[in-house]
Amino acid sequence: MELKKVGTSGTLESSDIMVTIKGTDKQKIDINLTSSVEKQFGEEIRSVISDTLKKLGICAAEVIAVDKGALNCTIRARVKAAAYRACEITDFSWGDNNE
Amino acid sequence: MLFVPGNNPGMIQDAYIYGSDSIMFDLEDSVSVGEKDSARCLVYEALTNLDYGTKETVVRINSLESGLGISDLEAIVRARPNVIRLPKTEFAADVTDCEKEIERIEKKAGIAVGTTKMMAAIESAIGVLNAKEIAFSSKRLIGIALGAEDYVTNLKTNRSPEGTELMFARSMILHAARAAGIAAIDTVYSDVNNEEGLIAEATLIKHLGFDGKSVINPRQIAPIHKIFTPTEKDIKKSMAIMEAIAEANRKGSGVIALNGKMIDKPIVERAKWVLKLARVSGVLKDMEE
């Protein structure tokens, strides 16, 4: 998937995460994370963001994530929605094996 | 049935703790047009990752006419909730059109055809008048529900504390559901701070014969459960009826009586229903212990 614009999903409410994704010249996924639970879960949150993007075929992106204690499934949902918005794709792929 | 906005992760992850029998994740009215895709992702991920135990999981999709319904189904059928709820159902074709799409997606996703059950919300005058056709429209349909806010708007009236304006719709929906052998679920009570009003309305719809009520706030669950839970007196009477039946069967007696009163089939059916409700609400187990 090709990142065409800035895509954002999520809110700053408790249990949510606001994810902003945009293209980058760097050949990697760069994650700028702010989280109240960063010391304990920062590495895992970054891993979930990165893995979700790679499954969508995105290997280079700049990600800004403001976490308010989101579960992994919420992080995946927000990253996916932000990425599709950034790629200007409205026809989501859900896979037939739960991806 | 607890309504949970589909774009609120906090409420989605906590929904199972409040004790409702059913949780309905909403992709329709509680989600703004610009957030439909995000809510779809959130509900999909929640259903495929969180454990809601024995709670019935329901997702209210947007109507097919809105242009959003197919996208909702593509995600949600694969997330395998127990039930998909159609909003604003007006004709039997609304159900069968949706059913065709569900079946197509089930086949594509390798899900056994028929796995996904359906529920139809009736929210307009034409929907109420077609309640019977809607109720009989699909084997997937497990229930029909009244959506009163849109319905009273369509009638050009408002909701009253007595619910007079809803009597016809409630009666039509209830009769259609009973004729089709499916559940009848009543509408939400919107004034969350008026517990007295909630109790009065829940008492009324329970007496009419509804199977349950939708709630928009967890605070409304306990009062409704209390109304729908059989009393100890009702349970003891029902147990005595069932014991009298068993005793008569042992003796080969054709006529069954309890305390001088004849027990006929409707009385037995009601006793069975009371005991079923008592079992699922946990009170029968408590009494036996």
Side-chain angles (χ1 to χ4, degrees), chain A residues 17-76:
Chain A
I17 181 170
M18 182 177 271
V19 178
T20 303
I21 299 172
K22 55 184 174 181
T24 177
D25 294 335
K26 297 174 191 169
Q27 296 302 306
K28 63 172 186 172
I29 294 169
D30 212 358
I31 301 169
N32 179 350
L33 173 68
T34 307
S35 172
S36 53
V37 292
E38 182 161 2
K39 282 184 183 171
Q40 193 171 354
F41 295 110
E43 197 176 324
E44 186 172 353
I45 295 168
R46 285 188 177 83
S47 169
V48 172
I49 293 171
S50 184
D51 289 349
T52 305
L53 286 173
K54 284 173 185 169
K55 279 184 183 172
L56 293 172
I58 298 169
C59 297
E62 188 180 332
V63 181
I64 300 165
V66 184
D67 172 57
K68 298 291 179 181
L71 296 179
N72 285 358
C73 59
T74 300
I75 298 169
R76 275 194 294 272

Side-chain angles (χ1 to χ4, degrees), chain B residues 79-207:
Chain B
R80 304 192 190 200
N82 298 122
V83 181
I84 285 178
R85 175 166 162 149
L86 279 70
K88 301 176 178 65
T89 314
E90 299 195 323
F91 302 96
D94 294 336
V95 177
T96 53
D97 288 349
C98 189
E99 183 178 28
K100 282 177 197 160
E101 295 297 333
I102 291 173
E103 185 170 327
R104 175 184 63 76
I105 297 164
E106 282 178 340
K107 284 178 180 170
K108 200 175 162 193
I111 299 167
V113 170
T115 302
T116 318
K117 302 303 178 194
M118 296 170 74
M119 173 176 279
I122 294 175
E123 307 177 54
S124 65
I126 188 73
V128 168
L129 291 171
N130 289 328
K132 183 186 153 197
E133 287 73 23
I134 291 168
F136 279 92
S137 61
S138 168
K139 285 183 178 174
R140 289 181 191 251
L141 211 62
I142 60 150
I144 50 177
L146 172 62
E149 299 300 331
D150 283 298
Y151 174 68
V152 295
T153 304
N154 187 224
L155 284 192
K156 297 186 176 177
T157 184
N158 299 301
R159 290 188 70 177
S160 68
E162 304 78 26
T164 318
E165 68 289 346
L166 298 179
M167 286 306 286
F168 179 71
R170 281 176 168 150
S171 299
M172 284 288 282
I173 286 169
L174 187 65
H175 279 78
R178 290 293 167 264
I182 59 176
I185 306 295
D186 192 49
T187 187
V188 298
Y189 188 77
S190 308
D191 187 357
V192 293
N193 293 319
N194 184 357
E195 190 172 318
E196 198 180 324
L198 171 72
I199 289 169
E201 185 165 283
T203 305
L204 169 73
I205 62 104
K206 195 244 177 186
H207 198 67

Side-chain angles (χ1 to χ4, degrees), chain A residues 9-11 13-16 69 71 73-74 76-78 80-81 85 90 92 94-96 98-99, chain B residues 7-10 13 34-35 37-38 40-42 44-46 48-50 71 74-75 78 108-109:
Chain A
S9 176
T11 69
E13 288 179 24
S14 178
S15 304
D16 206 346
L71 296 179
C73 59
T74 300
R76 275 194 294 272
R78 296 314 197 190
K80 188 170 183 174
R85 287 173 177 182
T90 53
F92 282 48
W94 302 99
D96 286 334
N98 282 345
E99 296 183 332
Chain B
N7 203 33
N8 187 318
Q13 73 189 46
E35 292 300 321
D37 57 343
S38 208
R40 218 173 271 141
C41 288
L42 201 54
Y44 173 88
E45 287 291 338
T48 51
N49 288 281
L50 302 181
S71 296
E74 290 284 355
R78 290 178 169 90
K108 200 175 162 193

